[in-house]
Amino acid sequence: MTIKANSLDLYPLFNPQSVAVIGASENPAKLGSHVMRSLIEGGFAGRIVPVNPKSKAIMGIAAWASVTDFPETLDLAIVVVPAKLAPSIFHECRQKKVRGMVLITAGFKEIEDPEGGRQQDRLRNMALEAGIPVIGPNTFGMINLHRNLNASFTPEFSKIEKGKVALVSQSGGISHLMAFLALPQNVRFSKIVGLGNRLNVDFAEMLDFLMADPDTEVIALYLEGLDNPGRLLQAAAGRREKPVIAYKTGSARTGNQASLSHTGSLAGNHAIYRGALHQAGIFYAPSSQALLDLAQVLSVCARPGGPRVAILTGQAGPGMAACDVIEGQGLQMATFGAATQAAINAFLPPLAMRSNPVDMGPAWYDSGAIQGIVKAAAEDDGVDGIILLMMFASANREALPNLAPFLLQWQQRKPVIACCAAPPGIWDADLDRLQQSDALVNLPTPERAAEAMAALCRYTAMITPDGRKSS
Amino acid sequence: MTIKANSLDLYPLFNPQSVAVIGASENPAKLGSHVMRSLIEGGFAGRIVPVNPKSKAIMGIAAWASVTDFPETLDLAIVVVPAKLAPSIFHECRQKKVRGMVLITAGFKEIEDPEGGRQQDRLRNMALEAGIPVIGPNTFGMINLHRNLNASFTPEFSKIEKGKVALVSQSGGISHLMAFLALPQNVRFSKIVGLGNRLNVDFAEMLDFLMADPDTEVIALYLEGLDNPGRLLQAAAGRREKPVIAYKTGSARTGNQASLSHTGSLAGNHAIYRGALHQAGIFYAPSSQALLDLAQVLSVCARPGGPRVAILTGQAGPGMAACDVIEGQGLQMATFGAATQAAINAFLPPLAMRSNPVDMGPAWYDSGAIQGIVKAAAEDDGVDGIILLMMFASANREALPNLAPFLLQWQQRKPVIACCAAPPGIWDADLDRLQQSDALVNLPTPERAAEAMAALCRYTAMITPDGRKSS
């Protein structure tokens, strides 16, 4: 008999007052030491309770032989003991009335031995009877950045900036990858959750929880295979208050087999998945980098009212590269209104391209002209989004700093996606300030900026099929 | 009458003993000041000759009113005066018998006024009569890194590391972009050349020159439109001693128009170009980033003997992402020989994926096992290339440092393309050492690593259509 997970309350799991680490250690060869460091170095403000029958104290914090020995209430238990000890740990956690668990331990449904799957089923029924939601098993854990709760074996996750993107992932490797990519890219997260084998918390439960989570505005999913795709699609369908975007691997024959070995589920037919995700309003991203770029853009940018894009560029070549992507992905190069075109023409000499894409290069030495061009395009009703491209040269060093105050003040009434590229140390501070103020998203190539704009426009069109402008 | 450019000697242009800057300045609002800084800060070892009738000295170097006043020989003249002065400058350079020119000045064929095109034609005939090869007009210039010759208006180009990739570009913006991307990515260049309007040095002349250039092993082209595509194709056809790869924009309707305004040539029919490039043995890259990644891989990696790829990964998810790309691009996941598979099985517990892709994660604490797995796969005759994926976690911090000595010693008898990702400051030194020793290429995502491997295999198959292994 299978017990339903619907009634599980994930709030205490992600917002605990007290956290036990079952299998805590000081030995860096043990995951229990990394989990302890994650909690301590991450600045968790609640009680940390190391559990290890062989230690009196771990990292300067009093340790307990068992959770049942700890006299106060315990909200969350993070488990890093070997798989064979998991059933007795589950009994103790149930006795202790913990309200959530993160089961990092591996060796269940993903192993070759079928006993792993049976063991996982037994734990699942125990957890559901006790009403305890469990992240894992076979996971790196999770992090709730807004609570400084790093419940993972990777202390470095705490370096990520706090923001609005939640990542729910079936792979620890992809979670780590995206976190490391996010650091230099200025992508800010609310939560990163490694679902692992999904004992009783699957994508559907996470989606329900995150839709109501005030810290989360964009939900990014990394999928391999699902036991019950219908539940995720049902959870997503019709819920368009927050964007849900997904990257899914397993399109390859070999990858599909790998999925089975990885988290115990076949990846299934890729094309069918893709269609079903689309029908449920989940936007498909074609790679880990595309998922991250789109999550960033959705968390920062205003929604475009249509597919008409203006490309304002300091150099013609990058403008052409962006233009190819925009038209190749079915968007339109905006036609400027007469007043806009006249304003732009007045700012530029005849040797520039003055229609879209606009080559602003000849105005490098005149920051008023560049600001005037951006303003004219931004205020044109026929422009739904702006791609801003500036490749640094010594002669245009001040172009971005001079434009920044306008962009900060204008604050994305329409989406602005940029590729402003310079050697390290030149424009970094300006770009950080612009991105941290949500004035724009800056990506490393013109093509990626254009792809992100195309994804943003196509996402917006998907959720507003009648053509109405979304808020 | 049009004079042929065939007999131009580009060697003195790229290897001058003395360089004049015509229009040199100390005023940072003038390009002439940036060119002076490029030469000085770039460490050019020859004579620098500022030319400016209004100055006695510029940046501490004696200045001359005209090149004809300078008493010694002059090899290269870099010109940054306004377009209307260009004819008289050309006369003086001819009198002075300079052996090459870089004409940074804009305002010729790319402007709306047809007089610009006529002026360019007059200069072209003057240069050809005098036998002077001219880079430009309407260019940022060029840099020959192995001679510390930064003949551009961007001093920051001198920060690029010396290497084997030559970039020849029709766009200054794309050249700057790729240079800035190259810095953190460890791509090393021999030359970067901005062709601009191609007065008498076009892609064909550059290809002839670079095929004989001992510093260059890979030739990367950025194309928009060509006046005479046949000459490039002819120059490339049958010359397979060095890889030639190209990225071309202008596929979009609007971009094609932009090309005309940019460097005076229509981009033309994209599909026809692509087919023609392929026939001439020029491999097509779909984006600026793909061009850079493939240039790096071709300059570092051994050539694969076939399309059979092994993916060795620390985590299953990134392995699946790479696997999807490999199979999606028509390559094959290698099947290990019995001895290889037995060796790998012996290193890993049952809870890992032990066939290709190999999940090495369970061996993190055993650096001998990881080295053994990589060695077994590398030495398998059924494996043509290796993708190595490692996402940092605290528990595997030593995995890459421990593997590095093996990779340094093994030195790419087969191509190794990696995605080893960590927060800044953790694996940087190891990865720099591995890349600077050409032991591997490291790219930021598993998908990009797999795409680069696919491009490498497809390039190799293109130039060896009979299936023979290239050297």
Side-chain angles (χ1 to χ4, degrees):
Chain A
M1 192 198 78
T2 306
I3 298 165
K4 282 205 168 185
N6 292 355
S7 57
L8 292 173
D9 178 9
L10 303 192
Y11 187 84
L13 190 158
F14 285 100
N15 299 274
Q17 301 296 317
S18 50
V19 180
V21 180
I22 303 176
S25 173
E26 286 198 343
N27 176 356
K30 302 279 183 187
L31 287 180
S33 77
H34 301 290
V35 175
M36 284 298 294
R37 282 182 49 217
S38 291
L39 285 167
I40 296 168
E41 295 172 14
F44 178 60
R47 182 78 180 259
I48 301 173
V49 182
V51 175
N52 185 329
K54 294 178 192 155
S55 301
K56 286 247 154 39
I58 289 170
M59 299 186 186
I61 305 175
W64 304 80
S66 145
V67 287
T68 50
D69 293 343
F70 181 67
E72 297 165 48
T73 60
L74 262 183
D75 294 330
L76 173 62
I78 309 173
V79 182
V80 277
V81 297
K84 65 180 189 294
L85 301 179
S88 66
I89 297 293
F90 268 59
H91 274 296
E92 290 170 7
C93 286
R94 180 182 192 167
Q95 258 185 282
K96 187 64 193 170
K97 296 189 164 58
V98 304
R99 305 182 65 191
M101 294 175 74
V102 173
L103 182 56
I104 289 175
T105 305
F108 296 96
K109 198 176 171 186
E110 80 281 7
I111 63 171
E112 288 168 19
D113 185 343
E115 178 54 25
R118 287 195 290 269
Q119 178 80 304
Q120 180 168 327
D121 288 341
R122 283 192 289 270
L123 292 181
R124 181 172 188 274
N125 283 329
M126 286 172 71
L128 289 175
E129 279 166 28
I132 303 175
V134 180
I135 304 287
N138 187 25
T139 177
F140 66 91
M142 60 85 169
I143 175 160
N144 182 356
L145 285 142
H146 292 279
R147 299 294 169 281
N148 295 328
L149 173 69
N150 185 346
S152 83
F153 59 56
T154 303
E156 289 77 8
F157 275 130
S158 301
K159 293 183 183 178
I160 297 165
E161 286 190 74
K162 295 176 173 68
K164 305 168 188 168
V165 177
L167 171 65
V168 183
S169 168
Q170 213 165 336
S171 158
I174 295 289
S175 304
H176 283 69
L177 171 71
M178 288 182 63
F180 304 150
L181 292 171
L183 286 169
Q185 196 179 324
N186 258 308
V187 191
R188 290 158 277 163
F189 283 90
S190 60
K191 295 173 176 64
I192 298 178
V193 183
L195 292 186
N197 294 9
R198 295 150 290 138
L199 191 77
N200 65 8
V201 176
D202 207 333
F203 286 101
E205 287 76 27
M206 284 307 305
L207 213 58
D208 279 340
F209 174 69
L210 292 170
M211 283 287 175
D213 175 28
D215 295 329
T216 297
E217 291 184 13
V218 177
I219 303 168
L221 312 178
Y222 168 73
L223 310 173
E224 290 175 4
L226 299 175
D227 305 310
N228 190 346
R231 283 188 46 239
L232 166 61
L233 301 174
Q234 209 172 2
R239 305 204 54 176
R240 294 178 176 189
E241 62 267 40
K242 295 180 186 178
V244 184
I245 60 179
Y247 169 46
K248 184 180 177 307
T249 59
S251 66
R253 191 183 49 77
T254 316
N256 201 3
Q257 282 302 315
S259 171
L260 184 60
S261 318
H262 178 202
T263 49
S265 305
L266 273 168
N269 185 303
H270 201 70
I272 291 174
Y273 259 106
R274 218 174 138 159
L277 292 173
H278 183 85
Q279 278 210 310
I282 300 177
F283 190 84
Y284 184 82
S287 68
S288 53
Q289 186 67 70
L291 184 72
L292 188 69
D293 290 358
L294 180 56
Q296 181 177 28
V297 162
L298 286 167
S299 72
V300 167
C301 290
R303 299 297 180 262
R308 299 162 306 174
V309 177
I311 298 176
L312 310 177
T313 182
Q315 295 90 358
M320 288 179 62
C323 187
D324 281 2
V325 173
I326 287 300
E327 296 196 354
Q329 301 234 350
L331 273 64
Q332 297 163 24
M333 291 295 289
T335 304
F336 295 133
T340 308
Q341 191 64 64
I344 291 173
N345 289 359
F347 287 120
L348 288 172
L351 54 74
M353 290 191 294
R354 293 175 294 177
S355 59
N356 191 14
V358 180
D359 183 351
M360 305 186 297
W364 278 139
Y365 292 108
D366 180 354
S367 63
I370 290 184
Q371 182 173 322
I373 294 165
V374 174
K375 192 164 181 288
E379 291 176 350
D380 188 321
D381 284 340
V383 172
D384 298 310
I386 291 174
I387 294 177
L388 178 67
L389 307 172
M390 288 192 193
M391 307 301 120
F392 165 85
S394 293
N396 70 19
R397 175 182 283 263
E398 298 309 318
L400 180 67
N402 286 338
L403 186 59
F406 168 73
L407 290 169
L408 287 166
Q409 191 197 338
W410 194 71
Q411 280 290 3
Q412 290 247 359
R413 272 169 284 161
K414 290 172 188 170
V416 180
I417 305 179
C419 168
C420 300
I426 293 183
W427 283 344
D428 298 356
D430 295 290
L431 287 170
D432 283 351
R433 193 157 45 96
L434 284 164
Q435 295 207 91
Q436 278 158 12
S437 311
D438 289 355
L440 53 72
V441 166
N442 193 62
L443 293 171
T445 70
E447 295 94 329
R448 262 175 68 189
E451 279 159 11
M453 180 65 83
L456 175 65
C457 290
R458 289 192 291 116
Y459 165 79
T460 308
M462 182 181 86
I463 62 153
T464 53
D466 58 350
R468 273 181 305 110
K469 182 169 172 159
S470 68
S471 64
Chain B
M1 193 198 79
T2 305
I3 298 166
K4 283 204 170 186
N6 291 356
S7 56
L8 293 172
D9 179 9
L10 302 192
Y11 187 85
L13 191 159
F14 285 100
N15 298 275
Q17 301 296 318
S18 51
V19 180
V21 179
I22 303 175
S25 173
E26 287 198 340
N27 177 357
K30 302 279 184 187
L31 288 179
S33 76
H34 302 291
V35 174
M36 284 297 294
R37 282 183 47 219
S38 291
L39 285 168
I40 295 167
E41 296 171 15
F44 178 60
R47 181 77 181 260
I48 301 172
V49 182
V51 175
N52 185 327
K54 294 178 192 155
S55 300
K56 286 246 157 31
I58 289 170
M59 299 185 185
I61 304 175
W64 303 79
S66 145
V67 288
T68 50
D69 292 344
F70 181 68
E72 297 164 48
T73 61
L74 261 181
D75 293 329
L76 173 63
I78 309 174
V79 182
V80 277
V81 298
K84 66 178 185 298
L85 301 180
S88 66
I89 297 295
F90 267 59
H91 274 294
E92 290 170 8
C93 285
R94 181 183 190 166
Q95 261 186 278
K96 188 63 191 170
K97 296 189 165 54
V98 305
R99 304 182 66 191
M101 294 175 72
V102 173
L103 182 55
I104 289 176
T105 306
F108 295 96
K109 197 176 174 187
E110 81 282 6
I111 63 171
E112 287 167 21
D113 185 342
E115 179 53 25
R118 287 193 289 270
Q119 178 81 305
Q120 180 168 327
D121 288 341
R122 283 191 289 270
L123 291 182
R124 180 171 189 275
N125 283 330
M126 286 172 71
L128 289 176
E129 279 167 29
I132 303 175
V134 180
I135 303 287
N138 186 25
T139 177
F140 65 92
M142 60 85 168
I143 175 160
N144 182 357
L145 285 141
H146 292 277
R147 298 297 168 279
N148 296 328
L149 172 70
N150 184 346
S152 83
F153 59 57
T154 301
E156 290 76 9
F157 276 129
S158 301
K159 295 183 183 180
I160 298 165
E161 286 189 75
K162 295 176 173 67
K164 305 169 188 168
V165 177
L167 171 65
V168 183
S169 168
Q170 213 166 338
S171 158
I174 295 289
S175 304
H176 283 70
L177 171 71
M178 288 182 63
F180 304 151
L181 292 172
L183 285 169
Q185 196 179 324
N186 259 308
V187 190
R188 289 158 280 162
F189 283 90
S190 59
K191 295 173 177 62
I192 299 179
V193 182
L195 291 186
N197 294 9
R198 293 151 291 139
L199 191 77
N200 64 8
V201 177
D202 207 333
F203 286 101
E205 287 75 29
M206 283 307 306
L207 213 58
D208 279 340
F209 174 68
L210 292 170
M211 282 287 176
D213 175 27
D215 295 329
T216 297
E217 292 185 13
V218 177
I219 302 168
L221 312 178
Y222 167 74
L223 310 173
E224 291 175 1
L226 299 175
D227 304 310
N228 191 346
R231 283 191 43 241
L232 167 61
L233 301 175
Q234 209 173 359
R239 305 206 51 175
R240 294 178 177 189
E241 62 267 41
K242 296 180 185 180
V244 184
I245 60 179
Y247 168 46
K248 182 180 178 309
T249 60
S251 66
R253 190 183 50 78
T254 316
N256 201 3
Q257 281 303 314
S259 171
L260 184 60
S261 316
H262 179 203
T263 49
S265 305
L266 274 168
N269 185 305
H270 202 70
I272 292 174
Y273 260 107
R274 219 175 137 158
L277 291 174
H278 183 85
Q279 278 210 311
I282 301 177
F283 190 84
Y284 184 81
S287 69
S288 53
Q289 186 68 69
L291 184 71
L292 188 68
D293 290 357
L294 180 57
Q296 182 177 27
V297 161
L298 285 167
S299 72
V300 167
C301 290
R303 299 295 181 262
R308 300 162 303 172
V309 177
I311 298 176
L312 311 178
T313 181
Q315 295 89 358
M320 289 179 61
C323 186
D324 281 2
V325 173
I326 288 300
E327 296 197 353
Q329 301 233 350
L331 273 64
Q332 297 163 24
M333 291 294 290
T335 303
F336 295 133
T340 308
Q341 191 63 64
I344 292 173
N345 289 359
F347 287 121
L348 288 172
L351 55 72
M353 292 192 294
R354 293 174 296 176
S355 60
N356 191 13
V358 180
D359 183 352
M360 306 188 296
W364 278 138
Y365 292 108
D366 180 354
S367 62
I370 291 185
Q371 182 173 321
I373 294 165
V374 174
K375 191 164 180 290
E379 290 175 351
D380 188 321
D381 283 341
V383 172
D384 298 310
I386 290 174
I387 294 177
L388 178 67
L389 308 171
M390 290 192 192
M391 307 302 122
F392 166 85
S394 294
N396 70 16
R397 175 183 283 265
E398 298 309 318
L400 181 67
N402 286 338
L403 185 59
F406 167 74
L407 291 168
L408 287 166
Q409 192 198 337
W410 193 71
Q411 281 288 6
Q412 290 247 2
R413 271 168 286 162
K414 291 173 187 170
V416 180
I417 304 179
C419 168
C420 299
I426 294 182
W427 283 344
D428 300 356
D430 295 290
L431 287 169
D432 283 351
R433 193 156 43 97
L434 283 164
Q435 295 206 92
Q436 277 158 14
S437 310
D438 289 355
L440 53 73
V441 166
N442 193 62
L443 293 171
T445 70
E447 295 94 328
R448 263 175 69 189
E451 280 159 11
M453 180 65 82
L456 175 65
C457 290
R458 289 192 292 115
Y459 165 78
T460 308
M462 181 181 87
I463 61 153
T464 52
D466 57 351
R468 272 182 305 109
K469 182 170 174 160
S470 69
S471 64

